[in-house]
Structure formats: structure tokens, C-alpha cells
Amino acid sequence: DAHVQAPTAASVILAAVLLKMGSYGMIRFNLQLFPDASVQWAPYVAVLAVIGIIYGAWVSYAQTDMKKLVAYTSVSHMGFVVLGIFAMAAASIQGSLLQMLNHGISTGGLFLIVGMLYERRHTRQMSAYGGLWATAPLLGGFALLIALSSMGLPGTNGFVGEFTILLGSVGSSLTGVIFTLFAATGVILAAIYILAFFQKVFMGEVKHEENRSLPRLHWTELAVLIPIVIMILWIGLAPNTFLAPMDPSVNALVQEVQPAVTEIAQLP
């Protein structure tokens, strides 16, 4: 509701910055101050994370309002972050940290695209669009790349974050194969709702005459979208630029929680 009611700029700030306060708190306070309790509750939190991944994707697909659809994707994406944190493996925590950045880039970019469409047509209903690929190809190109990064296409930032989380989760004694398999279905569901959104808005025939003469992207809009595209490709093609600086702090964190993880793993 906060996403939908807020103006575009506030939605971007909410997605890119404020949502990360919760996951930051999990790393900074839960894991570092209370490692034993975090390990004991990790399977229960992982259940909630997987539910969030699947439920968020399912609800996103049901939306007819573009902004609501993008808002519910945040539930799904942040579920991956929570799963990676409470898997408490080096790879999964690194993936969660990177995915926190990725979510701000991809979801913030989608909110910007929706905001630009709203400024032109003053409606967020997907039924009011269709065929924009032919009438606004540049906007469609930006929307396609940002949408593909949100669904985790290889070569984009979303793939690196989600794959690293799942890689760490599958080898963790706290989550393991079962949790990871259920979480991986979220990747498939993301492809479904993102491609459905793009098809309804940009593909097909032009159904409404108002869509035939949409204003072109202004240079200020390009100035916002181009850095997002650069970050999507930079993280997707050269992820070690961002992962390597995390190594010392992530390894130190894992060493702090490892005794508690080992103790739980040895219990019958």
C-alpha cells in the first residue's frame, strides 16, 4: 500500500533504501549479537522466507495495476535475501548483500518505468496499454532490460544475486536442498509474472489511440535510466567487482556464527 500510494520518487527510495533496513538489521543485530538464537530460529525464518518468495510472486501475477505488481515483487525478492542471511553460509550471505543492491536497482528501475508511463497516460492499469513496443521503442528497450534483470536473466545483476544465494543455501546445514528447491520455484514464477507484465504493456497490437503518440523520453528520464542499465550489466558481467570487497567482513561474520551452526548440526 505504501508503494502504491506514494509518488514515483518515494516508491524508488522505499524500494532502493528503506526496505534494506530490515535485512541490514538481521545481519547487524540478529546474527552478530545473538548468533545462537539466530541459528536455532533459522529453519523457521527460512520457512517464512520461502513463503514470501512464492506468495509474493503469486500475488504479483494476479495484479492488474502495474505499480501493485512491482510492489509485490519486492516481497518475493526480499524473501531471497532473508533466506540467504539465515542460511548463514559465506556464499549465501554474500548473495544476500548483493541482492539487496540488485533489488534497489531493478525494482527501483521498474518503478521509474511505471512512473514514466503514468505521467504519459495517467493510468496504471495494464489494460490501458498494449503495443508500446511499436510506438515507444526506446522506453520499451529500457523496460525490457530492467524487467529481465528483475527476473534474474543470466548476464544481469539479478541472476548473480539469486544464484549465489541458492548456491550457498543448498550447501547449508540450516536450509539445505528442500528449502532451496522451493525457493528456486520463485525464479520460475518471476519469469511468469514479469513476462506477462511486459507482454500486456508493450507487446501486441495498439489497442488505444492514446498510445500511438506517446511523448518521447526526455533527457532527464534518460539520465536516470542509463545509470541503472550500466549497473545491471556491470554487476551481471563483472560480479567479482562487488563480491570481492565483501569477502573479509562476510568471512568474519560466518566465523562468528559457525560455532552455533556446528553445535546445532551435531544435535540428533
Side-chain angles (χ1 to χ4, degrees), residues 27-46:
I27 295 172
R28 178 62 71 188
F29 300 112
N30 292 47
L31 266 60
Q32 292 190 321
L33 296 182
F34 310 104
D36 292 337
S38 297
V39 169
Q40 291 174 5
W41 284 88
Y44 304 102
V45 178

Side-chain angles (χ1 to χ4, degrees), residues 74-108:
S74 295
V75 179
S76 187
H77 288 154
M78 293 306 292
F80 279 102
V81 173
V82 174
L83 179 67
I85 292 172
F86 280 88
M88 298 187 197
S92 66
I93 294 176
Q94 272 192 323
S96 291
L97 291 170
L98 186 61
Q99 191 64 8
M100 288 161 65
L101 173 62
N102 292 339
H103 175 262
I105 295 169
S106 303
T107 305

